[in-house]
């Protein structure tokens, strides 16, 4: 059983209710990313020794897990930034629309008071505001969206490892597999650029 290093006890982190959070904090902390913590800080937080955290990192957190956590963190950041930009765009749109309503009220008031000169000036102002609104909506017609490539998904990272393992186990499968991949213009190369 994983985590039972001779003592017969399950690993403390593996049975911890915050296991996923702990692993994420360790990985993000190693890479200096938001949401991460140093191993010592994680150890203090959950009441273990820093050596236990270091051992856990070495023995239980695979490179596939690291890649998946880092990919998710990058995607979360992009999504958060996109949401902020979309909110700011909506604030700008609301401001312009509020301004247009105010100018319309001024025009109505000027017309009610038979102040044609002021009404004409206000109409010119409204025309400029409406032009700005149209320009802004044209430039911001669609919400920003997040695009994620398959190569960043945890499932693809795992699938590539499975393919490598199978090709190592059955070497004669490597050549037909790579031929079919080339035919479909797909890549399962490692980050270093070496084929599987």
């Amino acid at each position: 059983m994983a985590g039972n290093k001779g003592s017969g006890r399950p690993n403390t982190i593996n049975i911890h209710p915050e296991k996923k959070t702990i692993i994420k904090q360790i990985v993000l902390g190693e890479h200096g990313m938001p949401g991460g913590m140093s191993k010592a800080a994680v150890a203090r937080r959950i009441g273990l020794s820093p050596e236990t955290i270091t051992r856990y990192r070495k023995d239980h957190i695979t490179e596939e897990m690291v890649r998946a956590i880092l990919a998710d963190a990058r995607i979360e950041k992009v999504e958060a930034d996109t949401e902020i930009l979309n909110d700011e765009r909506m604030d700008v749109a609301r401001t312009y629309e509020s301004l247009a309503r105010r100018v319309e009220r001024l025009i109505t008031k000027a017309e009610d008071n038979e102040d044609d000169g002021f009404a004409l000036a206000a109409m010119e102002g409204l025309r400029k505001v409406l032009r700005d609104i149209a320009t802004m909506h044209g430039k911001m017609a669609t919400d920003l969206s997040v695009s994620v490539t398959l190569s960043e998904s945890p499932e693809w990272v795992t699938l590539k490892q499975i393919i490598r393992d199978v090709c190592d186990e059955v070497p004669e499968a490597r050549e037909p597999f790579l031929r079919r991949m080339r035919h479909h213009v797909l890549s399962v190369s490692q980050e270093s650029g070496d084929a599987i």
Side-chain angles (χ1 to χ4, degrees):
M1 177 187 256
N4 291 354
K5 296 257 180 181
S7 67
R9 293 182 325 172
N11 181 284
T12 304
I13 296 173
N14 280 341
I15 60 172
H16 197 283
E18 293 183 52
K19 175 184 172 184
K20 287 183 179 181
T21 302
I22 293 166
I23 292 171
K24 185 175 180 179
Q25 289 171 338
I26 293 168
V27 171
L28 296 178
E30 284 180 343
H31 292 85
M33 295 181 74
M37 296 173 77
S38 69
K39 291 180 184 98
V42 171
R44 275 192 308 276
R45 187 177 79 74
I46 61 174
L48 296 174
S49 72
E51 294 77 26
T52 301
I53 302 298
T54 300
R55 253 190 332 275
Y56 185 83
R57 167 59 179 105
K58 181 177 171 265
D59 296 339
H60 296 277
I61 302 177
T62 66
E63 288 311 303
E64 287 76 23
M65 291 167 72
V66 170
R67 286 189 199 113
I69 290 167
L70 294 176
D72 287 345
R74 284 191 293 270
I75 291 166
E76 286 171 11
K77 180 173 181 356
V78 170
E79 287 174 341
D81 291 345
T82 302
E83 189 173 329
I84 289 168
L85 288 173
N86 283 333
D87 287 346
E88 287 176 359
R89 287 179 15 188
M90 291 309 295
D91 285 345
V92 170
R94 284 189 289 269
T95 300
Y96 270 115
E97 288 166 8
S98 170
L99 182 58
R101 283 192 297 275
R102 289 177 64 195
V103 173
E104 281 183 90
R105 283 194 299 272
L106 285 173
I107 293 169
T108 302
K109 189 174 180 181
E111 286 173 343
D112 289 347
N113 293 337
E114 298 182 3
D115 187 350
D116 293 337
F118 184 75
L120 219 63
M123 282 183 207
E124 178 61 23
L126 178 60
R127 186 184 66 79
K128 288 179 183 173
V129 169
L130 292 175
R131 186 184 64 224
D132 288 346
I133 291 172
T135 302
M136 180 203 60
H137 279 295
K139 288 180 180 174
M140 302 179 176
T142 57
D143 278 349
L144 297 173
S145 60
V146 176
S147 176
V148 179
T149 61
L150 178 62
S151 63
E152 293 175 343
S153 79
E155 293 82 3
W156 181 244
V157 171
T158 302
L159 181 60
K160 286 195 308 187
Q161 186 59 50
I162 291 169
I163 292 168
R164 285 187 199 105
D165 293 346
V166 169
C167 286
D168 288 345
E169 194 174 316
V170 186
E172 55 273 9
R174 182 183 304 267
E175 191 279 324
F177 174 75
L178 290 174
R179 184 172 11 93
R180 285 182 177 84
M181 293 296 287
R182 280 190 290 276
H183 174 74
H184 291 284
V185 194
L186 295 173
S187 170
V188 289
S189 61
Q190 296 177 6
E191 283 68 21
S192 65
D194 301 328
I196 59 167

